[in-house]
Amino acid sequence: MSEMKDENTLLLNEIIMVRERMIKEKKRDEKLLRKCEEIERYLNNNGLSKDEIVKYKYKIISLDKEVDQYDSNKKKSLIWMIAITGAITSVLTHLISGGVLKVDSPGWDVFFTKYLGMFLLMFIGVIGAMTKLLIDEYKTGKDRTDQILLGFLFPVVFVNLFSYNEGQIQGVIIVNLLIFVCGFSVEFILLFLNRLIDIAKKTFNLEEKEDPSRPLGSSEKKDSLENK
């Protein structure tokens, strides 16, 4: 009986080590955490039989292996995400610019074109964000597969940002480039929004103006008082 208790304690220590490793290595996947919690709760609340000890030993081994493969599994899901995003943007571009949408009702063709165009731009923004994340990950030098993923992603970026025909680049699609850069850089979004605010102020004549009736130097005095 005491041997089983010792085994139970050892298993409990092992699952605690797995949990602490997940936290330390920032592998806090919800699915893995649920598995870890389930095992830890069971070991805390139950005295295990010999069969259960064997069963939970292999559960902990299996969970530990999943933690090892966490990064590679993330990369696999990213590959599928890139492929699916590339396919969706290609289809949307074809629908919008290829004349596929033929709607008899006046105005509906424009509506669907704008609606699909919005989704196209949303996906291009996602492509920009994925590019940024992959470049940041590549700079850490932790995983050489990041370079392969960037190579896999670049054709998706190219097809959505450049117009080309018969192997010749004809130009840059400015709107797509703007959305891609917004997905790539939060700083660019903030600068762009600030610029829009400046334009709106000028358009609606909302810029602050000096009051001609106010005596000279009053603004400087006010600023100095506020600083005090």
Side-chain angles (χ1 to χ4, degrees):
M1 190 73 177
S2 61
E3 289 181 4
M4 289 184 185
K5 284 185 178 179
D6 291 340
E7 287 286 347
N8 196 350
T9 304
L10 285 171
L11 289 176
L12 189 55
N13 289 335
E14 285 181 23
I15 194 63
I16 290 171
M17 286 172 65
V18 172
R19 168 167 52 83
E20 288 175 349
R21 179 188 164 202
M22 289 165 63
I23 294 169
K24 183 180 178 181
E25 297 179 5
K26 297 181 180 179
K27 297 178 178 179
R28 302 175 190 179
D29 179 77
E30 189 177 342
K31 182 182 174 184
L32 296 179
L33 286 171
R34 275 203 307 268
K35 286 184 178 181
C36 188
E37 180 188 7
E38 181 187 333
I39 294 171
E40 193 171 342
R41 283 183 182 277
Y42 192 87
L43 294 175
N44 266 320
N45 298 325
N46 294 276
L48 302 182
S49 66
K50 287 184 178 179
D51 286 341
E52 285 177 321
I53 286 171
V54 173
K55 176 183 174 182
Y56 276 88
K57 271 185 179 178
Y58 280 98
K59 276 194 170 188
I60 293 170
I61 290 169
S62 176
L63 180 59
D64 199 38
K65 185 178 179 182
E66 285 186 63
V67 175
D68 284 337
Q69 295 175 342
Y70 176 76
D71 290 329
S72 61
N73 288 337
K74 275 180 64 179
K75 296 291 169 67
K76 286 176 185 176
S77 62
L78 189 56
I79 289 172
W80 281 107
M81 188 175 178
I82 292 169
I84 292 168
T85 304
I88 290 172
T89 53
S90 297
V91 170
L92 289 173
T93 301
H94 181 66
L95 289 173
I96 294 166
S97 62
V100 177
L101 292 172
K102 299 292 182 183
V103 185
D104 295 332
S105 302
W108 279 103
D109 55 341
V110 176
F111 171 78
F112 281 115
T113 299
K114 287 186 176 180
Y115 187 70
L116 293 176
M118 178 188 70
F119 278 101
L120 174 62
L121 296 178
M122 287 166 62
F123 278 106
I124 291 172
V126 171
I127 292 168
M130 284 194 295
T131 305
K132 170 64 173 172
L133 292 173
L134 270 176
I135 289 174
D136 287 346
E137 185 71 19
Y138 171 74
K139 287 178 180 177
T140 64
K142 292 180 180 178
D143 193 345
R144 292 183 180 180
T145 57
D146 293 324
Q147 185 168 349
I148 297 171
L149 285 171
L150 281 168
F152 189 63
L153 177 63
F154 184 74
V156 180
V157 176
F158 180 85
V159 167
N160 283 287
L161 299 190
F162 296 92
S163 57
Y164 61 95
N165 189 28
E166 297 180 354
Q168 299 293 321
I169 297 174
Q170 296 177 327
V172 178
I173 306 171
I174 300 299
V175 175
N176 291 7
L177 176 62
L178 172 66
I179 300 300
F180 174 84
V181 174
C182 285
F184 187 90
S185 172
V186 176
E187 291 80 5
F188 183 85
I189 295 176
L190 296 175
L191 288 171
F192 187 77
L193 291 175
N194 285 330
R195 180 60 177 158
L196 287 180
I197 291 168
D198 291 339
I199 293 170
K201 283 180 178 179
K202 291 177 181 177
T203 302
F204 297 104
N205 198 25
L206 296 175
E207 292 183 299
E208 292 184 5
K209 293 181 179 179
E210 287 290 334
D211 186 355
S213 64
R214 190 168 58 181
L216 291 173
S218 61
S219 61
E220 288 81 354
K221 289 179 182 177
K222 183 180 177 183
D223 290 340
S224 63
L225 288 171
E226 287 178 353
N227 291 331
K228 289 179 181 177

